[in-house]
Each structure stands twice: as C-alpha cells, then as structure tokens.
Amino acid sequence: MVVIRDLSVQCAQMLLVLLLAPLFTGFVRKVKARLLRRQGPPLIQPYRDLARLMRKEVVLAESASWLFRVIPYLVFAATWVAASLVPTFRTGLLFSWSADLIAIIALLGSGRFFLALAGLDVGTSFGGIGSSREVMIASLAEPAMIMIVFTLALIAGSTQLSTIAEFMASPQVGLRVSLGLALIAMVMVAIAENGCIPVDNPATHLELTMVHEAMVLEYSGRHLALIELAASLKLILYVPLLACPFVPWGIEAAASALSTLAVGVAAYIGKLGVGGFLLALFETSIAKMRVFRVPEFLGIALMLGLLATLLRFVSGSF
C-alpha cells in the first residue's frame, strides 16, 4: 500500500510538471508583453501551438538521417525525466534516490548534445552555426554548474536534491556567503541554458543572433512540438532546481501525510509565479548581448561558482 501511494505521488508530480510547463511558458510571455504595454498572447497559447503542430504533417529534408527523426523523442524523454526527478512539492519521492544533481546535469547535457547533433545532421549553414554556439555555451555553463554542485555538496554533505532541500530547510544553515555566490551563479547558468535574454532570444530568426532556433529550423510537425515541449520543461525545471537548495520552504517532507500535499503544491505554484515574473522582468530590463560576449557572462558564473567552492572548502563557516 505504501509503494502504491508513493508511486501515485511520483506519477502525479510527473504529470503536474508536464501539464504546467506550457502554461509557465505562456505566463512568462504574457508578463513580458504586459511589461512592454502590449496585450500579448493568451496564457493557453502554448497549448494551442502544440496541438496545431501535432496535427501537421512532418516534412523532412532529403539529407536527414534516421537520427534526425529520433532525436526529438530523445530530447523530450531526457528533459521530462530530469524535470520529474527534481522535487517540486514533496521530498523523498519513490525515485528520489536518483534525483542527484550530477544525474540531472547529465540528462540535460545529453539532450543538449543530441539537439546539437540534429542541427549538424541536415548539413545546413544555420544548423551548423546554432550547434557550434550551443556547444560553446555548454562548455562554459556545465563547469559552472559543476562548481555549484560541489559547493552544495560540501554544505549539505550530499548531491541528492531531497537531502539538500531537507538540510537547507533546517535552522543550522543560516546565511552563508558561499550560498549567495552559488545562487547568483546558478541564476546566470539557468538564463544561459534556457536561451533567455541577454544570452539568446528564441523569438528572433536573425542568423547573427539565434542559437536554439537555428538548430531546430528544419523540424516541423510533431517533431517540432516535442522539441518545444522539451524547451518548456527545461524552463520550468530550473524553478524547483533553484528552490530546492536556496528556497526550500513549502516543500513537504517525505513523512508528511497526503492531506498536506496541497500546501506543497500551492507553494510550488507560488514559486513558479514569482520565478516567471522575475524572469520576465529581467528579460524586459536588459538588452541582448553580442554572441562574443556570452563567454564573459558565463565566465563570471564559473568564477562565482569556483569562489563559492573555495570559500566553503577553506572556511567551513562560510
């Protein structure tokens, strides 16, 4: 009976993340439009776009291989699994033993690798440009993320997200300089990983600026729908990924009763609302930077993560 209950809660989290991902994307777009004094699309517009793409016929280039057809499913599966492993409203779920920060980074890195490979598979110039830029961003974002993981592991004594969330919610943590540096670095990495302004602008189709759009330019139909849904899942993933170590309040403990899950779900939705508003506010307050300045942006995140790790390693109280 306990296993069935835990399995039901785990499946509920997987479905909740999958259903809320397009809504979160629509919320961010709506807030951005309102901040720019425009009407903007409705909140359910991403659902309509996904349904429209699923009904369309898939058009493939003659030079596309079998890998080009399989990659959308691989990217969606890897991103959904990673988003489902991150604790949202409750810790200690059935698969929480696999909710390791290093495993989540590996899943996201695998999806990025296959997406870059898809951009190169067709052989177009846009795909090559987008893939090379994506790999360049990943080569700086992943080391910064590893440094953040090292900092959290040194503080919490584990890389498992449920353990980190429970430890960070305890009163023995307090304010630490290393946590502040790691938080700033993770926010910068999240912006770069999701292709947000100032690193990338997914709404543009200019070859001088686009990164993500260049890799998926040859996709259509259900393949493009899966990639767009994976992008929404990746965006919503970083909200609980930031909340678990830095804002763990509201996440129900593993031993809590099922009747208290509503509190955890409400706290999770509230964090999504705050995170979406802050993201939209940041994107409307800053301009898109040149591609050649992205390494400087991610280099700052890497240095902040490294400094947080060294500060924690040298002085345990910080």
Side-chain angles (χ1 to χ4, degrees), residues 193-268:
E193 288 280 356
N194 288 282
C196 300
I197 298 174
V199 176
D200 186 21
N201 185 9
T204 184
H205 286 279
L206 298 176
E207 64 273 12
L208 294 178
T209 58
M210 62 181 180
V211 179
H212 176 76
E213 288 297 316
M215 294 185 294
V216 302
L217 206 57
E218 297 296 325
Y219 278 111
S220 60
R222 63 179 181 274
H223 293 163
L224 183 58
L226 288 174
I227 291 178
E228 293 296 330
L229 184 55
S232 298
L233 283 169
K234 190 175 182 181
L235 181 62
I236 201 175
L237 176 150
Y238 272 93
V239 175
L241 192 62
L242 283 164
C244 276
F246 302 108
V247 194
W249 307 290
I251 303 178
E252 296 296 319
S256 59
L258 289 177
S259 57
T260 61
L261 289 181
V263 178
V265 174
Y268 172 57

Side-chain angles (χ1 to χ4, degrees), residues 120-168:
L120 295 172
D121 184 76
V122 182
T124 60
S125 57
F126 278 1
I129 291 173
S131 298
S132 62
R133 291 175 178 176
E134 180 71 13
V135 172
M136 181 265 293
I137 293 173
S139 64
L140 294 172
E142 289 186 359
M145 195 67 184
I146 292 296
M147 290 295 103
I148 298 168
V149 172
F150 286 165
T151 303
L152 296 176
L154 287 172
I155 294 175
S158 174
T159 56
Q160 194 178 41
L161 279 171
S162 294
T163 304
I164 292 174
E166 293 174 358
F167 180 82
M168 292 300 177

